[in-house]
Structures are given as C-alpha cells and as structure tokens.
Amino acid sequence: MGPVFAVVLVFVGCCSNVVFLELLVRDFPGCGNIVTFAQFVFIALEGFIFETNFGRKKPAIPISNYVIMVTMFFTVSVINNYALNFNIAMPLHMIFRSGSLIANMILGIIILKKRYSASKYLSIALVSAGIFICTIMSAKQVNVSNEGSEDQGFYTFMHWLIGIAMLTFALLMSARMGIFQETLYKKYGKHSKEALFYNHCLPLPGFLLLSTNIYNHCVLFSQSSELPPTLIPGVELTVPIMWIYLLINVITQYVCIRGVFILTTECASLTVTLVVTLRKFLSLIFSIIYFQNPFTTWHWVGTAVVFVGTLLYTEVWSSVRAALRGPDAKEKKAE
C-alpha cells in the first residue's frame, strides 16, 4: 500500500471521525476519555488478531522502543481529548493542532540538525501567525461570553488558558514522537501495522487512572433521555444514539490512524505532518459550515494565512508553474 492510498485513508477516515467526535462533544463535553479508550481497545483488538496472530508473532522493533513511543502517544491522545473540557471550541482545537508543522520543523532542527530553505521558514512563520490570530480571537470570545461576572469571567479565562497550555504540550510531544518514529523506521525497517498495534495495546493499563470518568460517561451515554435511540435493522435492538456515534467514531479513527501509520513508513515525518495539517483544515471548514460554530472574520483571516503557509511549504506554486510550462520547458532544459 503506497502513500497515495494512505493519504486517501487519512482524509476519509479523519474527516469523518471529526464529525462524529463533535456530535459526541456537543452533548457531553467531558467524554474525551471514553472516546480515547474505545478507540484504543478497538485498534488493539484488531491488531492482536490480525497483526500479532494472537500474540504468537514476535515484534520486529524491540518492545523497549515501543514503550517510549507509547508513553508519548498515550499522553498526546489523552491530553488532546481532555483539553476539550477547558472551554476549547472544536474549530480552535483543530486550528491549534495544525501547528504540528511548526513543532515538527523546530524539533527537527534541534534534534536531527536539519536545515531548510528560506521558503520553508517563511511558511512556518505564516502558519504560526495564523494560529496566533485564531487563538487571540478565541480568547476574546471567551471574555465576551463571561462579561456578567468579573470573577466568573476571570475563572473561565484561566480555565481556557489551561486548555491552551495542554494543547501546546501535546503539540510538542506529538512532533517529538514523529521524529522518534522516523529514526526507528530508518534503523529497523518499516512496520506500520506492528507500530499501530503496540501504540494502542501497551497504553491500555493507563486507562485505569481514568476508569471513574469512563464509567460515568458509559452511564450518561446509556441513560440519555434527551436524544432519540436508534433501532438497529434486522436485530430488533434499540441503542442510544450516543453509542452509535461512538462506534462510528471508533471505526473512522481506525481508518484515519491506519493511514497515518502507513504514511510514517513511506514519507518523512514533516511530510506526514503536512498531510495531517491539510486534513485538519478540511475538517475545520466542514465543522464551521455544518455545525455552525462561531467563526469571525479574523478567524477566517487566520485560517487563510495557515493554509497559504501550508501550500508554500509544499511548493505547490513551483509545481503549478512547471505544469503550465508543459513539455516544451522540459525539452529546452534537456537541450
């Protein structure tokens, strides 16, 4: 399976996943932990059966390396979902996480001693500026919505800042994990399905720390009387709609993360980050239009700046110019 197939999986799976995550979060803002747990269980079970052959197949990459990767992956997943409890709107959540392009490049320079062209640095500056604009505008919205009480407004704003700090930490940790994966694959070869399994299986005991929150949301999902239940055709079984949303979210997350892990074996970590960034912007536009999330003119400006920065990084303009010149340019170059 090549990179093109992986990109299709990422865009289809991740965009669908965001839709059903927002459907869950809009009714139960604190459901991040149960969503993360369900995703990890599903992917770990699939990998245990089809990748490790019920535990009989030995890993190609040492378990000690997977433990390091898993620690980072589990931390990023939990913190990203838990940040939604801190007044972080879904559009801002997606825009902020698009900053992984910056984080990946910065850590690549520091850790891998990489060097980039001037256009790459300019693209990163644009992405940073776009995210900054969107974050500032969202901060103003938090303040405006709590003008009634000064104490309450300050508390809500500080609550929001904690969420921003969590997203920032997860952003840097995610970039570090991408670089760690890149170095592992160079040393031991490409094993995307194996990495996918161990990244989701090994962290499962960590969810014991979140068991109370997960159980409470299981009860809330089952006892929700405000949402209509769904009748499963042919089974005569009525299931609360939130469980249906969770199931579809889990399946689409598997498709998404499978595509990302295939990409990590086929491309450099910065390229993988770019694909994921573009996917986030498609999800963002859909979230704004379909769910009618609040989005000001300045938010659109910030989004446009991030998108231009991303296109600049991919050198799309050079590719378009080369395509417009056609074969004549190539013939002249050959002469």
Side-chain angles (χ1 to χ4, degrees):
M1 285 180 280
V4 175
F5 177 73
V7 170
V8 172
L9 288 181
V10 170
F11 276 86
V12 173
C14 295
C15 289
S16 304
N17 176 261
V18 168
V19 171
F20 287 96
L21 176 61
E22 181 141 5
L23 287 170
L24 289 164
V25 169
R26 284 169 77 89
D27 291 290
F28 298 99
C31 70
N33 290 330
I34 188 175
V35 171
T36 309
F37 176 67
Q39 292 170 351
F40 274 54
V41 168
F42 180 86
I43 295 172
L45 185 60
E46 187 275 343
F48 181 72
I49 297 170
F50 297 105
E51 172 59 23
T52 69
N53 193 18
F54 295 95
R56 289 194 286 266
K57 180 183 174 183
K58 291 185 178 180
I61 299 175
I63 292 292
S64 58
N65 288 313
Y66 278 125
V67 170
I68 298 171
M69 193 190 301
V70 158
T71 303
M72 291 188 282
F73 185 68
F74 177 76
T75 304
V76 168
S77 298
V78 171
I79 289 179
N80 270 329
N81 282 334
Y82 200 68
L84 293 168
N85 293 359
F86 291 82
N87 299 329
I88 302 294
M90 187 61 76
L92 177 62
H93 192 270
M94 286 186 278
I95 293 168
F96 207 90
R97 290 175 66 183
S98 299
S100 52
L101 198 62
I102 316 159
N104 192 286
M105 182 176 276
I106 292 171
L107 292 185
I109 293 168
I110 296 171
I111 298 170
L112 301 179
K113 309 299 180 185
K114 288 185 176 182
R115 291 295 176 264
Y116 301 96
S117 64
S119 64
K120 293 287 194 293
Y121 290 114
L122 176 59
S123 68
I124 293 308
L126 288 172
V127 172
S128 304
I131 291 172
F132 178 77
I133 291 169
C134 291
T135 305
I136 292 298
M137 290 303 107
S138 296
K140 288 184 177 179
Q141 285 182 340
V142 170
N143 285 335
V144 168
S145 63
N146 291 281
E147 283 181 345
S149 168
E150 187 174 337
D151 291 338
Q152 185 182 358
F154 177 76
Y155 171 78
T156 304
F157 182 68
M158 293 305 296
H159 201 62
W160 179 83
L161 282 180
I162 292 172
I164 293 295
M166 292 171 71
L167 288 178
T168 304
F169 177 80
L171 195 67
L172 293 171
M173 182 69 78
S174 178
R176 182 65 185 91
M177 184 182 74
I179 291 172
F180 184 69
Q181 283 178 316
E182 189 177 333
T183 55
L184 277 186
Y185 291 148
K186 283 181 180 177
K187 185 176 181 180
Y188 296 102
K190 301 173 180 180
H191 305 281
S192 64
K193 287 196 71 177
E194 178 184 291
L196 183 63
F197 166 69
Y198 283 104
N199 270 285
H200 288 81
C201 179
L202 295 180
L204 289 178
F207 284 101
L208 289 172
L209 300 172
L210 309 170
S211 57
T212 303
N213 180 272
I214 292 170
Y215 174 77
N216 289 339
H217 279 88
C218 283
V219 174
L220 288 172
F221 279 19
S222 299
Q223 295 181 348
S224 177
S225 58
E226 298 178 2
L227 298 167
T230 300
L231 180 64
I232 301 178
V235 186
E236 299 299 326
L237 179 65
T238 301
V239 179
I241 191 67
M242 297 307 290
W243 286 111
I244 300 295
Y245 289 161
L246 181 62
L247 176 63
I248 299 174
N249 174 270
V250 165
I251 294 170
T252 52
Q253 173 68 8
Y254 170 74
V255 173
C256 171
I257 202 75
R258 175 78 187 279
V260 171
F261 271 77
I262 293 172
L263 270 182
T264 59
T265 64
E266 301 287 343
C267 311
S269 63
L270 199 58
T271 305
V272 176
T273 306
L274 172 70
V275 172
V276 174
T277 299
L278 288 173
R279 188 278 305 168
K280 287 171 185 172
F281 272 93
L282 282 180
S283 301
L284 171 67
I285 299 301
F286 185 85
S287 173
I288 294 163
I289 295 172
Y290 184 79
F291 292 103
Q292 297 181 339
N293 282 308
F295 217 66
T296 66
T297 303
W298 279 107
H299 281 97
W300 282 112
V301 170
T303 301
V305 171
V306 173
F307 191 68
V308 169
T310 304
L311 290 179
L312 183 62
Y313 168 78
T314 59
E315 298 178 352
V316 166
W317 317 119
S318 302
S319 302
V320 170
R321 282 198 300 269
L324 290 174
R325 286 173 191 159
D328 294 337
K330 292 182 181 177
E331 286 174 9
K332 286 180 181 178
K333 192 175 181 181
E335 289 172 4

